Amino acid sequence: MTFLIADTFTDSLARLSGDEQKAVKTTAFDLQLNPAYPGMSFHKIDNSKDKNFWSVRVNSDIRIIVHKSESSLLLCYVDHHDKAYSWAERRKLEKHPKTGAAQLVEIREIAKDVPVPLHSKHEAEQEYRLPTVRPPLFAQIPEETLLSYGIPIEWLADVKQATEETLLALTDHLPAEASEALLELATGGKPRAQEPIIVPANPFEHPDAQRRFRVMSNMEELQRALEYPWEKWTVFLHPEQRQIVERDYAGPARVSGSAGTGKTIVALHRAVYLARKYPESRVLLTTFSDPLANSLKTKLRRLIGTTPSLAERIDVYSLDAIGSRLFHSNCGKFSIVNKETLKTLLKEASEALVGQKFSLHFLLDEWEQIVDAWQVRDWDSYRQVARLGRKTRISEAQRTIAWSVFERVREGLRTRGQITWAVLFTRLAETIPLLKNAPFDYIVVDEAQDIGIAHIKFLAALGKGRPNTLFFAGDQGQRIFQQPFSWKSLGVDIRGRSKTLRVNYRTSHQIRSQADRLLDPVLTDIDGNREDRHDTVSVFNGPPPTIITLKSESEETEAVGEWLSQRQAEGLRPHEMGIFVRSTAQVDRARSAADKSELPYKILDEHVATMGGYTSIGTMNLAKGLEFRAVVVMACDDEVIPLQERIEQVSDESDLHEVYDTERHLLYVACTRARDFLLISSVEPKSEFLDDLLISS
């Protein structure tokens, strides 16, 4: 008998308490081992239209809903007795007549009678209303076309009558592929055609079905699926994501998309796919910081926990960590200069030149973005370099003075026996092509928008232009550390091999659509690659974000503390909440709010990611790669974001645009860490960015 699990089961399991989950897992394992075990208590659900729905007793109150046929047993749902039965009575499992995919379909005539707040997406119990205030959105679309999107026949009439006001309530009742198609149509897009699909004889083998049903072939697979029920991506993968993961690429490739669209998930699956497909290969999975690399390691363990041999061939390191290892083994010992020492060298060199008028801030930026980044090694090169990313123009006479400063800094580094990270990666890029064997066969890079010029040189050298070797995942809208530059000029040309994900799994429609107001709908990089975000859709609804401005910090502490306490009362656990501020100067405000709500918390730093059992408090730049059910973005005051210190250091109006962009990206990153609940707070006067968030769509 085939044993399957549905994503609705993992969703419902995640909502139970820890003790309840343990009991459910034990019963699920028993079911897999022997569904006919005499002690297993099966009860037919008489009031369900689908006569194959049964309940399985876990304890005196908890019931698992299964769909049982002669050839298969499907775990569908789990909850307390009455809610579990109600869920089963309102659904049926069927094969879609057009697509051939297996679907759990909500029964239309029952759904309309169930009252629930429209902003919630709970699997059962949502009120369905059909006001006719605005014109229908899909009335002119042929029924055959709507059916091809996976819309169940009994819901066609409602889809035909759906308006802007009713669409979100309607999509909560439909299978995921149907919801996504309708949301994309409503936002002016066109559902993207998947690669040609031959309708399989087994409806569970259809790509749309595989995103919600998976065969559990052994106990280890089931254990992995139930261990982290909230992280469904370890078991279920969207067809569009799977296509990107399993495609062959003639050269470097990139997947992009707004926050929450699953870029990191694609990167993880791509690394695993390559390791499985090429059993003798070594795969590098990398990103720009140690905390993000540690997070990738954790996720990788969850993805392939039952096949440790794969993990032995996938190395997960930050770029600095793998660069250090390779440099030490191929080039020898080294010492990296820290930023404070570099500032001191720049200050001493500039003061030694009488009459030079460059600020220390300008010299540091010029060093980091031009001289060091591009490894400009002599005056002729500096005189001719295209100062891409630097808006402030300087004359040749000024360049002569600036180069005198940089020459002194270079000499100071040589005297100290120290190098920069850019030097390390540039030397590696020159050394790696000379090696007999490449250190890695395939390289997958996450958060690629924040890697630098020398990193790209290094990665291009690792890839050597081989097919499938380089795969990048990133989002220009989350770029907060690096100036834009041309990847193509450095040997990494992704044109024609770039794909933008548009389905958001992490963030509710309400949070995502409001946060998107901080960014342009279309972002274009230096090489002309476009990320079109206008057709991004979220697959679930939630309450709208709360944006408040208080008169004092004490009032803010009180309000945020109360909001956090409300989330706790609703069942959220400390580790499911995060509090972010612009810089360390505002961390005490976040501490005070957490103390007010009596939440246990940990302060994040560049070495420590989230801690189990604690609420995370950190700066916005440490929010990358994290996600929480509830997020507070505090202290969004005027002169805090955008940070006044950065604005005051700008000497050119065009440079100011770059500062504003990255400050917006920071706020966007912080807001989109939230899955279900978002609170943004400030003290008068508030940040101008909050006005953008509050503008009606």
Side-chain angles (χ1 to χ4, degrees):
M1 174 178 283
T2 304
F3 189 84
L4 302 100
I5 185 172
D7 62 347
T8 48
F9 181 82
T10 59
D11 284 344
S12 56
L13 177 63
R15 291 195 287 267
L16 298 179
S17 70
D19 288 340
E20 290 169 341
Q21 288 188 31
K22 289 178 183 177
V24 171
K25 291 174 187 178
T26 299
T27 304
F29 294 144
D30 290 342
L31 277 170
Q32 185 182 37
L33 287 172
N34 185 6
Y37 179 68
M40 200 66 66
S41 180
F42 279 85
H43 292 279
K44 197 172 191 65
I45 301 177
D46 295 326
N47 291 334
S48 174
K49 286 196 171 183
D50 190 324
K51 299 308 177 184
N52 289 319
F53 273 139
W54 296 71
S55 78
V56 177
R57 178 189 174 94
V58 174
N59 57 29
S60 61
D61 189 32
I62 302 296
R63 298 293 184 271
I64 294 175
I65 302 300
V66 301
H67 189 276
K68 186 172 65 167
S69 68
E70 292 182 0
S71 59
S72 66
L73 183 73
L74 169 67
L75 302 184
C76 297
Y77 191 76
V78 62
D79 210 330
H80 297 271
H81 180 282
D82 292 349
K83 290 182 178 179
Y85 271 67
S86 174
W87 185 92
E89 290 165 0
R90 301 175 56 248
R91 282 167 178 79
K92 59 186 176 182
L93 179 69
E94 65 181 22
K95 175 181 176 180
H96 191 277
K98 180 75 173 178
T99 68
Q103 296 179 328
L104 280 169
V105 177
E106 190 170 0
I107 297 169
R108 175 61 187 91
E109 60 267 26
I110 297 178
K112 66 183 178 182
D113 298 323
V114 183
V116 163
L118 287 176
H119 68 258
S120 300
K121 183 187 179 186
H122 294 294
E123 281 295 336
E125 305 79 36
Q126 189 174 66
E127 180 179 13
Y128 183 69
R129 302 188 183 96
L130 196 62
T132 54
V133 178
R134 299 188 183 184
L137 294 168
F138 313 113
Q140 304 306 315
I141 298 178
E143 288 191 358
E144 277 296 301
T145 301
L146 293 174
L147 285 172
S148 71
Y149 298 146
I151 294 167
I153 288 177
E154 63 191 85
W155 286 91
L156 277 176
D158 299 276
V159 169
K160 284 280 195 177
Q161 298 176 63
T163 68
E164 290 182 17
E165 292 176 336
T166 64
L167 179 60
L168 288 177
L170 170 62
T171 55
D172 279 348
H173 296 270
L174 301 176
E177 65 269 27
S179 299
E180 291 163 16
L182 294 181
L183 288 167
E184 194 162 350
L185 287 168
T187 54
K190 183 179 180 181
R192 301 182 188 179
Q194 303 295 323
E195 292 177 348
I197 295 171
I198 299 173
V199 177
N202 183 346
F204 290 109
E205 293 178 357
H206 190 284
D208 283 333
Q210 288 181 336
R211 66 191 294 185
R212 51 183 168 260
F213 307 114
R214 286 296 297 275
V215 174
M216 299 287 107
S217 57
N218 54 52
M219 182 72 74
E220 288 74 21
E221 281 192 45
L222 180 60
Q223 184 175 358
R224 187 185 72 182
L226 302 183
E227 191 67 28
Y228 305 99
W230 190 26
E231 296 182 338
K232 294 193 298 182
W233 54 267
T234 60
V235 178
F236 309 100
L237 201 62
H238 187 282
E240 186 176 32
Q241 292 176 326
R242 189 175 298 280
Q243 286 180 18
I244 296 170
V245 165
E246 298 179 357
R247 182 165 290 163
D248 281 326
Y249 300 97
R254 182 175 73 184
V255 61
S256 58
S258 59
T261 51
K263 300 177 296 298
T264 296
I265 304 312
V266 168
L268 284 160
H269 279 270
R270 178 69 177 176
V272 173
Y273 170 76
L274 291 168
R276 282 200 173 113
K277 185 175 181 181
Y278 305 102
E280 303 302 316
S281 67
R282 292 207 66 82
V283 179
L284 172 64
L285 177 59
T286 186
T287 187
F288 72 87
S289 75
D290 288 333
L292 286 175
N294 291 334
S295 176
L296 286 174
K297 285 180 183 177
T298 300
K299 288 181 169 70
L300 184 66
R301 284 196 299 270
R302 294 174 183 177
L303 181 59
I304 58 173
T306 59
T307 51
S309 59
L310 274 179
E312 293 174 2
R313 294 192 291 108
I314 303 175
D315 291 314
V316 188
Y317 293 103
S318 68
L319 279 163
D320 286 353
I322 193 60
S324 297
R325 289 170 65 93
L326 291 177
F327 193 93
H328 189 270
S329 61
N330 293 287
C331 305
K333 295 181 179 180
F334 64 94
S335 173
I336 297 291
V337 64
N338 62 46
K339 193 159 188 173
E340 289 309 310
T341 300
L342 185 60
K343 284 182 179 179
T344 299
L345 290 173
L346 280 165
K347 186 173 184 292
E348 290 173 351
S350 64
E351 289 174 348
L353 291 175
V354 178
Q356 82 82 20
K357 298 180 180 179
F358 293 121
S359 69
L360 181 59
H361 175 74
F362 172 84
L363 290 171
L364 181 61
D365 275 0
E366 186 78 357
W367 170 270
E368 291 181 337
Q369 297 175 27
I370 302 296
V371 178
D372 191 41
W374 293 97
Q375 285 297 284
V376 179
R377 295 168 180 172
D378 54 54
W379 158 243
D380 284 338
S381 300
Y382 183 61
R383 180 174 58 184
Q384 298 172 28
V385 70
R387 299 172 68 253
L388 187 65
R390 298 290 281 157
K391 313 298 192 306
T392 304
R393 295 183 179 182
I394 58 175
S395 65
E396 183 164 330
Q398 290 173 311
R399 285 198 189 200
T400 303
I401 297 170
W403 181 250
S404 296
V405 174
F406 300 138
E407 263 193 326
R408 289 171 181 263
V409 172
R410 285 167 56 83
E411 181 59 35
L413 289 171
R414 280 193 293 268
T415 301
R416 299 173 67 92
Q418 293 186 303
I419 61 173
T420 64
W421 284 111
V423 169
L424 181 146
F425 283 108
T426 301
R427 287 188 189 170
L428 278 175
E430 296 165 351
T431 302
I432 286 170
L434 306 177
L435 301 178
K436 183 178 180 181
N437 298 311
F440 298 99
D441 301 289
Y442 304 100
I443 301 95
V444 178
V445 185
D446 192 30
E447 300 289 356
Q449 74 282 345
D450 278 317
I451 60 178
I453 293 163
H455 294 141
I456 288 290
K457 291 180 182 177
F458 162 67
L459 293 167
L462 279 177
K464 295 183 178 179
R466 300 188 305 272
N468 290 321
T469 307
L470 290 176
F471 186 90
F472 300 90
D475 173 19
Q476 292 186 64
Q478 297 183 63
R479 179 180 59 80
I480 59 178
F481 294 118
Q482 296 294 336
Q483 288 276 359
F485 60 92
S486 170
W487 286 21
K488 180 173 172 286
S489 69
L490 298 171
V492 178
D493 188 358
I494 60 169
R495 291 176 302 172
R497 293 181 296 274
S498 181
K499 185 80 170 179
T500 302
L501 296 171
R502 91 289 190 204
V503 181
N504 188 304
Y505 304 93
R506 183 179 66 218
T507 305
S508 72
H509 168 81
Q510 289 74 7
I511 293 173
R512 179 198 57 76
S513 58
Q514 201 143 1
D516 280 352
R517 297 172 192 170
L518 291 166
L519 305 177
D520 292 329
V522 178
L523 300 175
T524 306
D525 67 16
I526 297 295
D527 296 323
N529 299 294
R530 286 165 52 95
E531 293 182 13
D532 191 341
R533 319 155 77 87
H534 81 277
D535 60 350
T536 301
V537 297
S538 295
V539 297
F540 67 97
N541 298 312
T546 302
I547 303 176
I548 56 174
T549 300
L550 291 309
K551 293 181 179 179
S552 66
E553 291 184 18
S554 60
E555 287 188 17
E556 182 189 38
T557 297
E558 190 77 26
V560 173
E562 182 179 341
W563 189 88
L564 291 167
S565 295
Q566 289 174 351
R567 303 289 80 78
Q568 288 187 88
E570 293 166 356
L572 270 68
R573 290 166 285 185
H575 71 273
E576 295 177 318
M577 294 184 271
I579 309 173
F580 295 101
V581 292
R582 172 60 184 87
S583 67
T584 54
Q586 295 86 43
V587 165
D588 283 345
R589 289 166 69 172
R591 285 178 184 267
S592 297
D595 288 337
K596 183 70 179 176
S597 62
E598 300 183 350
L599 275 173
Y601 60 84
K602 292 283 187 181
I603 306 298
L604 306 179
D605 62 32
E606 59 184 8
H607 304 294
V608 179
T610 53
M611 301 288 288
Y614 295 91
T615 293
S616 297
I617 294 178
T619 58
M620 293 179 184
N621 64 306
L622 294 176
K624 279 287 188 73
L626 306 180
E627 58 184 271
F628 305 89
R629 289 191 62 191
V631 166
V632 180
V633 184
M634 286 188 70
C636 295
D637 310 344
D638 185 39
E639 299 191 358
V640 171
I641 186 163
L643 194 62
Q644 187 65 21
E645 178 185 345
R646 292 191 68 196
I647 293 173
E648 290 173 351
Q649 291 174 339
V650 171
S651 56
D652 187 283
E653 185 175 342
S654 54
D655 288 330
L656 187 62
H657 180 73
E658 176 65 18
V659 169
Y660 267 77
D661 275 353
T662 52
E663 292 286 304
R664 283 179 178 275
H665 294 176
L666 270 172
L667 182 56
Y668 172 80
V669 166
C671 291
T672 53
R673 300 310 94 189
R675 174 179 171 84
D676 301 304
F677 304 97
L678 173 63
L679 171 66
I680 303 170
S681 69
S682 63
V683 169
E684 294 178 346
K686 67 179 183 293
S687 166
E688 60 192 273
F689 292 165
L690 299 196
D691 290 328
D692 297 329
L693 283 170
L694 289 164
I695 293 173
S696 298
S697 298

